[in-house]
Amino acid sequence: MKIFVTSLVLLLGTSCPLYAMLAEAIGQIQTLQGSASVLRGTTSFPAKVGFALQRGDMIRTAKPGALGIILTDDTTISLGPNSELVINEYVFAPKDGKFALVARMAKGTFVYLSGLISKLSPNAVQLLIPDATIAVRGTKLLVDVQE
């Protein structure tokens, strides 16, 4: 059975929804007010509480919308109305000593509260905003990206 499933995944390729379901979750949507969506590759999903997030996901809130994310290392990110965030890179492997969090905040308002990655590896967290990069060494910050 294991060989069949592996062969099926290889045959269908990485654009298949089955492959997307097998990818590792890096966190989830904890709170939601109003409307929001998650763009994974070329597929858009309506955001809902408990939705599992993956590396590379783009999270968008509508004009009347707000959303809270909690990652597996307990990092929390809150998005205000009309915001867009992409989680470019995420690695939380304490047993292997590997840590990374790179998120691009394209527009909107964000509140970031650091989790274990920034405590265990302070240089491993980067928040990218238009025309700047923030290397996070503190515990909490507010970012407002104007269009």
Side-chain angles (χ1 to χ4, degrees):
M1 184 66 165
K2 183 177 179 181
I3 294 170
F4 174 74
V5 173
T6 302
S7 299
L8 182 62
V9 170
L10 291 174
L11 180 66
L12 295 174
T14 59
S15 61
C16 175
L18 174 63
Y19 178 81
M21 291 186 325
L22 297 175
E24 183 179 339
I26 62 168
Q28 68 177 358
I29 296 174
Q30 190 75 18
T31 61
L32 176 64
Q33 296 176 344
S35 180
S37 63
V38 177
L39 183 64
R40 181 171 296 152
T42 58
T43 306
S44 182
F45 300 94
K48 60 182 179 181
V49 172
F51 185 91
L53 297 171
Q54 298 175 4
R55 185 176 48 224
D57 282 353
M58 175 185 291
I59 301 100
R60 292 179 176 154
T61 58
K63 189 147 184 125
L67 184 139
I69 296 169
I70 187 160
L71 301 178
T72 58
D73 76 318
D74 290 331
T75 292
T76 56
I77 303 172
S78 299
L79 287 71
N82 202 27
S83 297
E84 188 174 291
L85 170 79
V86 178
I87 302 169
N88 293 351
E89 184 63 35
Y90 184 84
V91 178
F92 182 58
K95 290 181 182 179
D96 300 328
K98 295 181 181 179
F99 308 97
L101 172 56
V102 179
R104 181 175 53 85
M105 299 173 171
K107 67 177 184 175
T109 54
F110 309 88
V111 174
Y112 166 88
L113 181 59
S114 64
L116 290 174
I117 290 176
S118 67
K119 290 173 180 58
L120 298 172
S121 182
N123 294 323
V125 178
Q126 289 187 5
L127 303 178
L128 309 172
I129 58 175
D131 300 323
T133 298
I134 302 170
V136 177
R137 286 179 179 68
T139 59
K140 186 174 184 178
L141 60 103
L142 169 68
V143 178
D144 185 9
V145 179
Q146 301 291 319
E147 289 187 75

